[in-house]
Amino acid sequence: MASRYPFPASPNGWFGIGACEDLAVGDVQAVRYLGRDLALFRGGDGTARVFDAHCPHFGAHLGVGGRVCGDGIACPFHGWRFDGDGALVEVPGLDRPPRAGAKAWQVCECNGRIFVWHHADDVPPSFDVIGYRQDESAWTPWRSNSYRVRVHVQDLTENIIDRSHFSTVHDMKPPVLEHFEVRFSGTSMVVDQRLSVTAVSEVGFEVSTTTTTCGPGIVAVEVSQDPIEMLTYITQTPIDDELTEVTLCFSMKRLEDEAATESISELNDKVTNLQFSQDVPIWENKIYRERPIITKVDGPVAQYRRWFRQFYSNGNELLES
Ligand code: FES
Ligand SMILES: [Fe+2]
């Protein structure tokens, strides 16, 4: 990635690393995100935790064979035991363990996903993950699909405001009532627009959508078209210098007609995943132009890039370059 993009692979922010429902109490998983090997587990107290993978003793991977012990985890190699904060609390055969620990990442669970806070300078979280579907029982269970794509997260979400590719890549006709408004507000970018979706039918149908980003790792697309309320919730997480994992989750407010709810969900799922796959070959093969030729039919790309710089520790230097 270093050769492809003039900024760090992992910006600062909350990043999704899995679904809450896939991690039961006592489960331990080895995962790799943000260029780091991590151990993800759910402690006896029901809290999801993420530690740096490699044990401070001889370097075994805590996520491969580690066992949940109380709120923490025991290393599979020599049984060193860490508490829920990562502090070493027990060494088998020793009265008092040496002062050591595993780095515990800040974790939050929201919208059915598990997030970790990443900051290049270890600065604590400066914003929260925005919550959706407060009345969860009124919504359908999440349908989710994950992809691994060779693109930087910044390049990926530039897509949201890149309005001149909608017709070429996604075959979207301009809506009758044209509306496209972008606001940058702190760590969120909010895009209100009318979209005419023709991906699945020649006629197309028009919808009003609000897209809200939450830092560099989360995008929520809300469609409100009485009586339909739909939410596409997307997390994009750098895996390493090359790849980003993108998870598209979909849920809608249940209609009285269950069959209609099901068929609309299915159709939307199809459209979302189709549209996503249309972007992939462009993303994976493009280069990053620092000074693209921006015309008035393009979206506010320059503003977007300036806004995104807040998520890099060296953002001001990038600004000057
Ligand atoms: S490597 Fe973990 S206890 Fe020895
Ligand atoms: Fe796109």
Side-chain angles (χ1 to χ4, degrees):
M1 193 85 84
S3 55
R4 210 174 155 206
Y5 295 100
F7 31 72
S10 298
N12 302 328
W14 289 105
F15 291 98
I17 62 162
C20 304
E21 62 181 6
D22 293 343
L23 191 73
V25 169
D27 280 356
V28 179
Q29 293 173 12
V31 295
R32 184 168 170 79
Y33 290 106
L34 303 154
R36 310 288 283 271
D37 287 311
L38 304 169
L40 166 65
F41 64 95
R42 194 177 291 284
D45 60 351
T47 302
R49 292 187 168 79
V50 175
F51 287 179
D52 267 355
H54 298 117
C55 180
H57 187 215
F58 284 4
H61 196 308
L62 298 172
V64 181
R67 266 184 314 106
V68 168
C69 263
D71 301 344
I73 193 167
C75 179
F77 204 178
H78 313 94
W80 283 25
R81 195 162 67 78
F82 305 89
D83 69 11
D85 299 323
L88 177 63
V89 288
E90 189 191 327
V91 171
L94 264 192
D95 288 341
R96 230 162 41 107
R99 279 174 75 87
K103 182 197 157 177
W105 291 58
Q106 187 105 15
V107 176
C108 98
E109 292 188 79
C110 194
N111 305 316
R113 313 297 304 175
I114 303 169
F115 294 91
V116 285
W117 172 257
H118 166 263
H119 194 289
D121 304 321
D122 273 333
V123 173
S126 50
F127 59 95
D128 294 327
V129 174
I130 301 169
Y132 293 90
R133 288 161 91 242
Q134 258 66 22
D135 179 12
E136 214 183 298
S137 61
W139 290 74
T140 60
W142 292 109
R143 290 165 171 255
S144 64
N145 292 290
S146 285
Y147 302 85
R148 297 194 152 201
V149 187
R150 203 181 79 90
V151 65
H152 188 284
V153 289
Q154 179 188 317
D155 223 4
L156 181 106
T157 50
E158 191 170 287
N159 217 262
I160 301 168
I161 46 103
D162 177 355
R163 45 186 318 200
S164 56
H165 88 289
F166 294 163
S167 60
T168 41
V169 176
H170 302 302
D171 186 28
M172 288 172 164
K173 306 257 173 334
V176 180
L177 279 169
E178 264 206 87
H179 182 66
F180 186 86
E181 188 195 326
V182 184
R183 278 168 288 139
F184 296 94
S185 161
T187 49
S188 283
M189 169 176 77
V190 184
V191 183
D192 285 311
Q193 66 189 314
R194 293 275 303 171
L195 284 179
S196 176
V197 184
T198 48
V200 288
S201 82
E202 289 271 308
V203 197
F205 49 93
E206 283 194 21
V207 290
S208 290
T209 69
T210 300
T211 303
T212 308
T213 67
C214 175
I218 303 164
V219 177
V221 186
E222 294 168 279
V223 174
S224 221
Q225 190 94 341
D226 202 33
I228 292 171
E229 269 189 70
M230 308 196 285
L231 172 66
T232 303
Y233 191 69
I234 307 163
T235 62
Q236 57 275 344
T237 306
I239 296 171
D240 53 27
D241 283 355
E242 285 289 317
L243 295 171
T244 294
E245 183 177 272
V246 186
T247 302
L248 307 174
C249 305
F250 175 78
S251 175
M252 69 180 282
K253 221 170 191 175
R254 293 175 203 277
L255 301 169
E256 263 171 41
D257 183 343
E258 256 180 59
T261 309
E262 191 56 26
S263 63
I264 293 171
S265 308
E266 219 156 87
L267 182 67
N268 191 80
D269 208 31
K270 234 199 208 150
V271 175
T272 309
N273 285 281
L274 170 71
Q275 288 181 343
F276 181 80
S277 64
Q278 289 167 333
D279 281 313
V280 170
I282 304 276
W283 289 333
E284 294 201 317
N285 295 287
K286 72 189 288 296
I287 59 165
Y288 179 77
R289 289 231 184 265
E290 273 199 90
R291 296 186 205 295
I293 304 165
I294 301 174
T295 76
K296 68 172 193 218
V297 297
D298 294 310
V301 174
Q303 290 95 308
Y304 165 80
R305 292 183 177 184
R306 224 173 298 129
W307 168 80
F308 204 98
R309 283 189 188 117
Q310 66 180 301
F311 305 118
Y312 299 119
S313 290
N314 63 344
N316 289 335
E317 292 157 41
L318 292 169
L319 195 61
E320 280 149 24
S321 70

